[in-house]
Amino acid sequence: MTLARKKLELTGSRQFVSWLAEHNISLTFSTYQAGKLFFIGLDGQRLSVFERTFSRCMGIGLDPRTQALWVANLYQIWRFENALKPGQEHQAYDCVYVPQVGFTTGDVDAHDVAIDQHGPVFVNTLFSCLARPSERYSFERFWMPPFISRLAAEDRCHLNGLAMKDGHSAYVTCVSQTDVNEGWREHRQTGGVVIDVQANQVIADGLSVPHSPRWYRDRLWVLNSGEGEFGYVDLASGRFEPVAFCPGYLRGLSFHGDFAVVGLSKPRQNRSFDGLSLQQKLAAKDVQPRCALQVINLNTGDIVHELRIEGVVEELYDVCVLPGVKRPMAIGFMKEEIRHTLSLP
């Protein structure tokens, strides 16, 4: 499907649409580079693509209890609720997400967002901490890595990813263990770590710009982004075990059944991506980096489906599976729709 105005083309692999239909799921993904939140579903036998402008759109958290979406953007975190009741449709969409609650955090470079028993939790990358939105303040810090000496707006270690386990913040990823202003930039190749939040200690190191830790089926899955690797951390040894190589810079990870959905981005031509092993791997395999969503079979490590994204969008941040949703959309802030969309108890 092509969105001509934006010169954007999304092309599913041969069985991608059938896979969505078979599993009764849809997807949402964010791109901070283009400032868009996308919803991918089915319109009959065809792909349905719906997008909303959302400035510097980053982490997406799905509340497992209510199915609400929490989304981080440039300076706020918003909760989107489905305005439709079961069985209802609106213009052939079976899910209409409406922004119901927003918190203004300021530009703290919020990355991953998740939900625990108290509400939303987000990775506050600028201040190198985990935080909660506040009704009074920009945020309330509740955890920092053990090597960070104080709260400072310096992005010292590029804390970026958060994994939940049993409803609690369990693991995070950092690009380095540095405690100085943007010190992580010097350690992108092998300085990445995974930290156990509850134990307050590093459990895996030697990674290259790790992102998107997720606890699923008793394993801690991680994207070793600077190597283009999807895999998991062996908690007994602390080793990262690669499962699949994906031809792109990896960010965004979600699961459904025996499958992982991974986001791929084209590396930016700047110092943040320069010198990563991913570049050499792509050259050795004679392949160009892609912007895409790839579906990986957890049992075999095979990439079985792909949604290729070409045109103005070149970088993704997060992806989230929406179970039980066939064709989602969202109400934006700028048009008249938001005035006339009402949801009653």
Side-chain angles (χ1 to χ4, degrees), residues 272-328:
S272 295
F273 295 87
D274 188 46
L276 297 177
S277 296
L278 174 61
Q279 294 175 314
Q280 287 73 47
K281 287 187 175 183
L282 292 170
K285 295 177 183 293
D286 194 22
V287 64
Q288 293 296 313
R290 302 177 191 175
C291 182
L293 297 179
Q294 291 192 332
V295 181
I296 302 172
N297 187 313
L298 296 177
N299 298 317
T300 64
D302 295 340
I303 297 169
V304 291
H305 308 291
E306 182 179 67
L307 180 68
R308 190 76 68 92
I309 304 164
E310 297 174 298
V312 68
V313 174
E314 295 187 342
E315 294 185 39
L316 310 183
Y317 182 74
D318 209 355
V319 60
C320 182
V321 172
L322 304 175
V325 177
K326 180 180 178 182
R327 192 184 183 198

Side-chain angles (χ1 to χ4, degrees), residues 89-155:
E89 286 192 355
H90 171 69
Q91 299 177 357
Y93 293 93
D94 66 335
C95 182
V96 178
Y97 284 110
V98 179
Q100 289 290 142
V101 176
F103 291 92
T104 298
T105 61
D107 187 358
V108 296
D109 198 15
H111 276 55
D112 279 11
V113 180
I115 298 90
D116 66 12
Q117 67 272 28
H118 302 295
V121 177
F122 69 96
V123 176
N124 187 328
T125 302
L126 181 64
F127 283 88
S128 308
C129 69
L130 294 183
R132 301 185 190 279
S134 171
E135 294 184 3
R136 181 176 180 183
Y137 305 105
S138 296
F139 62 88
E140 294 181 3
R141 179 198 70 180
F142 73 90
W143 180 85
M144 284 198 312
F147 47 80
I148 297 296
S149 58
R150 68 182 183 89
L151 194 68
E154 296 180 347
D155 187 9

Side-chain angles (χ1 to χ4, degrees), residues 31-51:
T31 164
Y32 66 91
Q33 169 239 350
K36 298 288 185 180
L37 183 64
F38 282 88
F39 295 90
I40 307 299
L42 297 177
D43 180 8
Q45 302 299 313
R46 301 181 305 159
L47 202 63
S48 169
V49 179
F50 190 94
E51 56 91 8

Side-chain angles (χ1 to χ4, degrees), residues 9-26:
E9 185 174 345
L10 290 88
T11 307
S13 57
R14 192 164 64 91
Q15 300 294 335
F16 180 72
V17 168
S18 299
W19 180 73
L20 291 177
E22 177 187 351
H23 292 274
N24 190 30
I25 60 173
S26 57

Side-chain angles (χ1 to χ4, degrees), residues 142-209:
F142 73 90
W143 180 85
M144 284 198 312
F147 47 80
I148 297 296
S149 58
R150 68 182 183 89
L151 194 68
E154 296 180 347
D155 187 9
R156 294 183 171 193
C157 61
H158 207 66
L159 177 68
N160 56 47
L162 170 62
M164 306 296 288
K165 180 182 177 183
D166 300 328
H168 300 280
S169 302
Y171 303 98
V172 298
T173 46
C174 301
V175 176
S176 74
Q177 298 184 65
T178 47
D179 191 29
V180 296
N181 180 43
E182 294 197 350
W184 60 274
R185 295 187 182 278
E186 303 168 22
H187 301 275
R188 292 170 295 108
Q189 287 83 1
T190 59
V193 296
V194 179
I195 306 172
D196 184 323
V197 173
Q198 302 301 320
N200 209 38
Q201 63 183 22
V202 173
I203 60 168
D205 57 17
L207 299 172
S208 180
V209 204

